[in-house]
Amino acid sequence: MDVQDFDYDLPEELIAQTPLLERTQSRLMTLDKQSGAIGHHTFEQLADYLKAGDLLVMNDTRVIPARLFGVKADTGAKVELLLLKPLGEDRWEALARPGKRIKTGTELLFGVQPETAADGTPVVPKQAPLSAVVEAEGEMGARTVRFRYEGIFNEILDKLGEMPLPPYIKEQLPEKERYQTVYARHAGSAAAPTAGLHFTGDFLDKLKNRGIRLAFVTLHVGLGTFRPVSADKVEEHEMHAEYYELPQETADLINETTAAGGRIVAVGTTSTRTLETAARQSRSAAEEQGGSVHTDSGKPYIRACSGWTSIFIYPGVEFQLVDAMLTNFHLPKSTLLMLISAMAGRESILNAYREAVERKYRFFSFGDAMFIY
């Protein structure tokens, strides 16, 4: 498949720059994956599309203030790091800007402001509350850096770092928690699982009172989400690995739900990728041990698991566990658009997106939602 087959026209004014005052005020498009039928609702009407016995699975990752602005120690030139993945021993994988000027061996300083000498040259302080040395260079601005500091790294990051809003959002975010889900618990993500931003605690309670059960997985969003598709053919793109966890409690709930005939409803593409990774891991483990691969529903029996996933779901890849998905509207030619096209079909998705543009839905991270069922 050509990557160009997943392109669509989006007026810039439809890219949501700020979140709505109330999380549940978003609009909701529904898409029947069998018939392609489209519906238009408010987000709170999602409750009408969920059934007692369904399991809603959410990603409880918490976004860290992963964007750091600093200077080069030798020249005072401004630099930016977006932390993506901890590698241990104060080493991180990060995206660096301007990438071409940040080479191996470069020292970066954060939390300092260079002064200007009488001759106009910058005078860079010799010490900073946080510094980093570039140890390795990767593709498309990726760098491996090792930090130096005194104290507790997370406390320093909370003080110096900023929330890593996507580059298409130009407005400042006055309240950091608005870029967190209300159920965010495990810190480590470089971006929010944005489909979950629509939920409030009260709305989740409403769903539970209707017999809809809630479960959580963790996937820390990293370079796999930020890196665009550079290949011409979809099948040639390689996803970057991201860390995930599916705990025993969630595995038990999934197995109980599938055995009883309930649906597994994923909130967002990150939850979807975690669930589908777990399905494949569980199937492989069962086959190796000679155990049962399927429940009576025909779905794999899920086991608790964790690790790194680079699963890439696109049309032609079959879903083994997820029945329905809540998601936002995604960028043209993105792996996320390809994922939802695998669930509902490329033509149905692009048709729905054309209608969303015509009806002026709000797109991307702070935008409206779509429920594919």
Side-chain angles (χ1 to χ4, degrees):
M1 288 176 291
D2 292 333
V3 172
Q4 283 295 135
D5 291 340
F6 296 87
D7 197 9
Y8 68 92
D9 293 325
L10 178 68
E12 188 174 350
E13 62 267 21
L14 296 185
I15 301 174
Q17 293 296 316
T18 56
L20 297 176
L21 183 61
E22 298 293 335
R23 292 176 183 261
T24 56
Q25 285 182 341
S26 298
R27 297 165 71 185
L28 175 71
M29 173 184 282
T30 55
L31 177 63
D32 185 324
K33 62 185 179 183
Q34 299 299 328
S35 68
I38 296 170
H40 304 282
H41 315 273
T42 62
F43 182 77
E44 289 188 328
Q45 290 176 284
L46 173 67
D48 299 330
Y49 282 83
L50 299 176
K51 308 170 185 176
D54 285 348
L55 182 67
L56 202 64
V57 184
M58 295 164 280
N59 182 5
D60 62 7
T61 186
R62 184 170 180 82
V63 185
I64 60 174
R67 177 162 276 127
L68 287 166
F69 295 93
V71 296
K72 294 175 66 175
D74 55 350
T75 66
K78 293 182 179 181
V79 296
E80 178 185 340
L81 280 187
L82 176 62
L83 306 186
L84 296 174
K85 182 170 69 175
L87 303 175
E89 299 180 344
D90 294 323
R91 297 168 66 249
W92 280 76
E93 179 182 75
L95 287 180
R97 293 200 314 177
K100 293 182 179 179
R101 299 182 182 179
I102 303 177
K103 303 295 185 181
T104 300
T106 302
E107 184 179 9
L108 311 175
L109 305 178
F110 305 96
V112 297
Q113 186 64 42
E115 298 179 356
T116 303
D119 61 358
T121 59
V123 179
V124 184
K126 294 183 179 181
Q127 292 185 334
L130 181 66
S131 65
V133 174
V134 178
E135 293 189 339
E137 301 174 38
E139 298 179 353
M140 302 176 67
R143 297 290 185 272
T144 299
V145 300
R146 184 186 296 273
F147 284 103
R148 299 169 182 167
Y149 56 91
E150 291 185 3
I152 300 174
F153 181 75
N154 287 342
E155 292 181 358
I156 296 172
L157 192 62
D158 283 339
K159 183 178 180 181
L160 300 180
E162 296 186 8
M163 295 301 284
L165 295 179
Y168 50 75
I169 294 179
K170 312 300 181 184
E171 300 288 335
Q172 293 293 318
L173 184 65
E175 182 185 353
K176 285 186 177 181
E177 284 301 306
R178 197 57 183 82
Y179 193 56
Q180 305 277 12
T181 62
V182 296
Y183 45 78
R185 287 185 292 180
H186 301 294
S189 190
T194 54
L197 295 179
H198 304 283
F199 290 97
T200 64
D202 288 343
F203 187 65
L204 290 172
D205 287 341
K206 177 182 177 180
L207 296 180
K208 286 192 289 185
N209 290 335
R210 290 192 174 200
I212 296 151
R213 297 200 288 181
L214 311 180
F216 298 93
V217 296
T218 303
L219 183 138
H220 294 317
V221 182
L223 190 58
T225 293
F226 287 93
R227 175 172 284 171
V229 178
S230 56
D232 293 328
K233 297 294 184 181
V234 171
E235 297 85 351
E236 296 173 357
H237 176 71
E238 293 186 8
M239 293 287 287
H240 198 83
E242 296 167 311
Y243 183 76
Y244 77 94
E245 292 182 1
L246 190 148
Q248 186 63 53
E249 180 182 3
T250 296
D252 292 341
L253 286 168
I254 291 171
N255 293 328
E256 291 170 11
T257 300
T258 56
R263 295 181 302 174
I264 305 301
V265 181
V267 176
T269 56
T270 57
S271 296
T272 300
R273 294 178 64 235
T274 303
L275 290 167
E276 291 300 310
T277 296
R280 286 155 177 77
Q281 293 277 11
S282 299
R283 181 189 297 275
S284 296
E287 290 174 345
E288 289 176 4
Q289 297 172 11
S292 175
V293 176
H294 297 285
T295 63
D296 292 340
S297 68
K299 294 182 178 180
Y301 182 86
I302 301 301
R303 307 179 182 203
C305 54
S306 63
W308 297 88
T309 181
S310 56
I311 189 171
F312 182 21
I313 301 174
Y314 53 87
V317 176
E318 293 186 4
F319 286 85
Q320 298 187 16
L321 186 59
V322 175
D323 299 297
M325 185 196 321
L326 179 74
T327 185
N328 279 16
F329 290 90
H330 304 294
L331 276 73
K333 298 186 289 186
S334 64
T335 59
L336 307 183
L337 187 63
M338 296 169 191
L339 186 153
I340 64 172
S341 295
M343 173 163 280
R346 184 184 69 89
E347 292 184 3
S348 289
I349 289 293
L350 292 180
N351 180 55
Y353 270 49
R354 284 190 291 269
E355 189 158 329
V357 169
E358 291 173 2
R359 291 177 176 255
K360 300 189 182 302
Y361 274 71
R362 302 168 79 247
F363 277 67
F364 303 163
S365 295
F366 290 139
D368 296 315
M370 170 187 277
F371 183 58
I372 304 171
Y373 66 99

